[in-house]
Amino acid sequence: MTKGTQILTLTGLRFDANLGILDHEKAAPQPIQVDAELNLGPQPLRPHDDDINHVLDYRKVRQIIIDECRSEHMNLLESMIGKLADRLLQLPGVIGVRVKIVKLEIFDDCEVAIRAETGIW
């Protein structure tokens, strides 16, 4: 059976999270955007039985990202991304994680984001 490296990607996931050190950031959630890549390593190019229960369900990955970023207020973007990357790396079959979190309403003239990479790439 032919194998290839498989990467699960979620791009442009937008939702509100409790993040920041400023008073208005502590008072209300703010919009963020998350991009995530999960390295699943060598996989058969075609699943052996076409059953969702035998692959990493991207619906679950999406919900984990939202839940991790909303579970508690974080002062620093660096703290949030580290927590999220750690959690995603614990998913079954995941050997590497790349994550980017963007704060969408910080400045009018630029994007503010942090990227983290962990595991095997």
Side-chain angles (χ1 to χ4, degrees), residues 4-54:
T5 299
Q6 195 171 80
I7 312 262
L8 174 63
T9 304
L10 281 81
T11 305
L13 178 58
R14 292 177 178 229
F15 56 93
D16 290 342
N18 296 308
L19 173 65
I21 61 170
L22 302 177
D23 288 342
H24 72 274
E25 292 174 320
K26 290 183 176 187
Q30 63 177 293
I32 64 171
Q33 177 177 301
V34 178
D35 297 335
E37 293 179 77
L38 283 60
N39 183 359
L40 304 173
Q43 298 289 322
L45 288 181
R46 294 179 57 183
H48 70 280
D49 61 6
D50 204 32
D51 184 339
I52 188 66
N53 295 309
H54 298 142

Side-chain angles (χ1 to χ4, degrees), residues 51-63:
D51 184 339
I52 188 66
N53 295 309
H54 298 142
V55 297
L56 183 56
D57 187 340
Y58 52 78
R59 296 171 300 177
K60 292 179 183 174
V61 174
R62 176 187 169 274
Q63 196 58 56

Side-chain angles (χ1 to χ4, degrees), residues 70-117:
R70 285 184 170 169
S71 67
E72 60 184 312
H73 181 91
M74 292 273 183
N75 287 330
L76 301 176
L77 196 50
E78 293 84 351
S79 299
M80 181 175 281
I81 202 165
K83 178 182 169 206
L84 178 58
D86 247 1
R87 176 65 180 94
L88 294 174
L89 195 58
Q90 294 172 26
L91 291 171
V94 174
I95 62 172
V97 172
R98 288 180 177 142
V99 184
K100 176 182 175 184
I101 301 179
V102 182
K103 291 176 83 173
L104 294 170
E105 294 183 354
I106 300 305
F107 301 113
D108 294 333
D109 58 356
C110 69
E111 176 182 278
V112 175
I114 294 283
R115 289 181 52 107
E117 181 176 308

